[in-house]
Amino acid sequence: MSHHGPTPSDEPVGWSLDLSAHEMLRRAHVLDALGSDWDPVEALRGEEAANALLYSGLDEEQQRVYDELVAAGVLPPRGGGSAAA
């Protein structure tokens, strides 16, 4: 067996990789890209408004399917307790 190959053992080989410094850098870049005038509450309100528009004006069959999806937990109910509601 080559000295570069795996060593047979019954013991698991443990290792870890700490990505926290990279994650902090990634978050800093995201916030920098969003800009200082980004308002997360307003963004959530806009998302809620878009969601309401998406599901407005449904015909009877579409509304029935929507209601089934909400009942099954696939879609949240309108205004479903989000911060933007």
Side-chain angles (χ1 to χ4, degrees):
M1 182 177 283
S2 167
H3 69 282
H4 294 291
T7 305
S9 171
D10 292 338
E11 296 293 321
V13 176
W15 61 275
S16 67
L17 182 61
D18 184 1
L19 295 175
S20 56
H22 177 74
E23 177 62 12
M24 292 305 293
L25 181 62
R26 185 196 67 80
R27 289 180 186 191
H29 286 300
V30 167
L31 291 175
D32 187 46
L34 289 171
S36 61
D37 61 342
W38 180 67
D39 181 359
V41 174
E42 186 59 36
L44 287 173
R45 284 190 185 118
E47 188 174 315
E48 182 70 25
N51 193 37
L53 184 59
L54 177 65
Y55 295 112
S56 67
L58 301 178
D59 66 27
E60 188 174 310
E61 174 66 10
Q62 292 167 330
Q63 185 64 51
R64 183 190 64 73
V65 171
Y66 174 83
D67 292 340
E68 286 180 10
L69 292 172
V70 170
V74 175
L75 293 174
R78 292 185 190 156
S82 69

